[in-house]
Each structure stands twice: as C-alpha cells, then as structure tokens.
Amino acid sequence: MSIKETVSIDGDLKKRLAAIAEREGSTVSELAEGVLRLHAEDVERQEAEFAEDDRRWARYLETGKCISGEDMQAKLRALADEAGRKARSA
C-alpha cells in the first residue's frame, strides 16, 4: 500500500532533482523514494552491525576468547592469496 506524503524541498534542490530525474527517465517522486529507501537500508544495516558488535563484545567479556592479531593477519593473507588464485584462474 502506498501512502502519499508531502516533502518540502527548496527551489534550487527541486530544480536539481528534476534534472536528475529527467536524465534517469524517472520522476522526482521515484527518485526521492529510491534515495529514501537506500538511506533506510543503510541505517538498518548499520544498526544490525552495531547490534552484532555488541553481541560479540558481550561474548568476549563472558568467555575471554579472542583471536590474536597475528592469527587474524595470517587468515586475511590466506584469504587474499586464495582470492588472487581464483581471479587468475578465471
């Protein structure tokens, strides 16, 4: 279900958005909805990442288990090497 909302946009921005929408073959409303949708998705993703960070920190405080910096760097190097091999063989 779509609900019509009114948003106040100053004249200069309105002209800029109209020009962008025209170049993209859409309307200002479609452009605005797309931008707002992307922003909402970014904020929700960031909130989920922060929540995961909090869960991991709580687990660390509870268990004391962690990965050393050297082990993490070795794992990242191995992943980078593997990705490089896959890229060269593709």
Side-chain angles (χ1 to χ4, degrees):
M1 183 172 138
S2 181
I3 298 173
K4 186 174 182 174
E5 292 289 331
T6 302
V7 177
S8 296
I9 301 173
D10 73 55
D12 182 53
L13 181 56
K14 192 178 229 180
K15 288 177 189 174
R16 292 167 55 203
L17 292 173
I20 292 168
E22 185 176 338
R23 285 194 304 269
E24 293 182 355
S26 67
T27 65
V28 173
S29 292
E30 291 167 338
L31 178 64
E33 183 176 352
V35 169
L36 291 171
R37 187 178 308 280
L38 286 174
H39 180 67
E41 289 168 0
D42 285 346
V43 169
E44 291 165 347
R45 178 193 43 78
Q46 187 178 40
E47 288 171 345
E49 289 174 0
F50 288 157
E52 179 63 21
D53 291 346
D54 289 343
R55 285 190 294 276
R56 289 179 182 189
W57 180 247
R59 189 170 59 235
Y60 167 73
L61 292 175
E62 192 175 296
T63 67
K65 290 184 180 180
C66 64
I67 300 171
S68 73
E70 290 111 13
D71 288 347
M72 190 64 195
Q73 288 178 350
K75 178 69 174 174
L76 290 172
R77 278 193 295 277
L79 288 170
D81 291 344
E82 181 181 344
R85 283 191 299 276
K86 286 182 178 179
R88 286 188 294 277
S89 68

